[in-house]
Amino acid sequence: MNIAITFLIIYFLAMILIGIWAMKKSGNDSEDFLLAGRSLGPAVTALRLQSSSMSGYMFAGAGSLGYSSGYFGMWYALGDLGGGVLNLSIIGRRMRKLTKILGSISSIEYLENRYQSSAVRMVASILALGGLFLYLMSQFIAGGAGLASVTGISFDTALIIAVAVIVSYTFLGGYLAVAYTDFVQAIVMLIGMVWVLIATLQAVGGLTAGHQQIEAINPNLLTMFGADLEYQNQWGLIIGALLIFSIGYMGWPHVVVSHMAMKKPSVSRMAGVYSTAFNLLFIPAPYLVGLLALIVVPNLAAPEQAIFEVAKTVLPSFAVGIVMAAVMAAIMSTADALLLQASTIASRDLVGRFFLKEVSEKTLVKVSRITVLVMALGGLTMALLQPPSVLFLATFAATVLGAAFAPAYICAVWWRKANKVGALASMLAGSSVSVVWKLGDLGAVTGLDPMLVGIVCSTVAMIVGSLLTQKSHPVSAHILDAIDSAASVTSTRSTRDVKEDIDLSTQMPEGR
């Protein structure tokens, strides 16, 4: 185990060094710190997008689902397989162009600029901060639990170490550090997860032999309808499982910001190829390892530890270090993205927008860095109190964020009639309905998943709210022009006629 710990220490130091490098390379303005100067190519864009969306859920939650519900977890995997290419294809190129035209630096500021409403920014900021904070806690808990399981140190100590490493490079290098560490972490995740899957298959005698042994335990686990067939014909719940990591994560602010940081809009095409290749290799693995863990480590008291325990059982100690690094990579790549996005929203979209309006770009970067520390400390404190499981927190936060924001981001670039009334109605309806549905466990009563109900209500609210208020709240001609320009397959024009609209004119980046 000493070899594993040594490998982890080297890995953590490497992430911090990337943060130091990014700090030296980044400038002092917000676009450099928050969007890496819009300089990222397809490989970094794709792997950053995928690693930041997968999180500790893939090693804790997915393994737990496989262990307790068998192949039912593959419904989530099926949605996730196409999630990256859908995200990049539907909103990637258009969002990159539109955010540049409007001069938007954060994903929440973009919503204000597109829907021309400070109320949209205020509501979006509050909803996003709540969802991101819950998601951040789930990553901290997963990191502490995984590190404690492999190293033998206490959960509290492991949690503090994991958070300290994440905060250090995020604080130092901003989005550039997050992007490049996520790129490296995606590769480590892939190597580690494929390695533990291969070793697990060897340990059980192959997939066919593994299936035979699982069948002897409970044949229902080999179906996609749960250990007791409780999901059979429950298509409302199954569709929700498909949606949460496909359509839903087009509403995650910490993920869609990847589109804004692309070097140019056309990057989205090749990024979609990289994203799909990564997903095909990585996503089914943790669910399958979780299922086969029933053979390798039966009678686990904590199913969320399934992949960690399997790794310790089937791999030599040096390889356990690599797999543990992969686990930490999944956790850290999402936690750093959540942390940076949450700090951006708190500093730029709330403090800088509504309370300290007359501040320099350099000061905003400082505020962002301070907010990173504050958010991390808050998340660490809450995580130490041992809130609900990683699976519950991650799926709850993902559902609320997806239901609240996916229609707003999609309609922003695709529907010319989407206005601020529709956006506000959509965000409030999607978030409130999904929260009530999840906390009230209404899915078990109605057979409808919170994600499905939330996204339907959010979409209907967007359509109805916008159509009913076209006369009272028309979309500006200049916004319509910007949408048309973003839809074009050609490059965005270098100059635009914005003099008639003072608000939009002040949002234009210099030199355009």
Side-chain angles (χ1 to χ4, degrees), residues 69 113 123 149 185 249 333 371 391 460 487 493 499:
S69 299
N113 294 347
V123 170
S149 173
Q185 287 163 348
Y249 99 129
S333 61
T371 312
L391 177 61
V460 170
R493 286 172 283 173
K499 293 181 181 179

Side-chain angles (χ1 to χ4, degrees), residues 98 103 228 245 282 309 334 354 364 392 405 421 449 452 458 480:
L98 192 55
D228 298 316
F245 296 130
F282 179 84
E309 295 301 321
T334 299
F354 297 102
L364 276 180
F392 175 84
F405 293 113
V421 176
D449 187 81
L452 174 61
S458 182
L480 295 176

Side-chain angles (χ1 to χ4, degrees), residues 364-439:
L364 276 180
V365 172
K366 288 181 179 179
V367 173
S368 293
R369 285 194 166 112
I370 292 170
T371 312
V372 166
L373 298 178
V374 174
M375 292 292 293
L377 183 61
L380 174 62
T381 302
M382 295 294 291
L384 287 171
L385 298 176
Q386 292 275 10
S389 70
V390 173
L391 177 61
F392 175 84
L393 278 176
T395 54
F396 178 67
T399 296
V400 174
L401 289 172
F405 293 113
Y409 282 119
I410 294 171
C411 290
V413 293
W414 283 97
W415 195 32
R416 290 162 55 88
K417 292 184 178 181
N419 64 12
K420 63 182 179 182
V421 176
L424 284 169
S426 176
M427 290 187 294
L428 291 172
S431 58
S432 58
V433 169
S434 59
V435 167
V436 170
W437 220 264
K438 187 78 173 179
L439 296 183

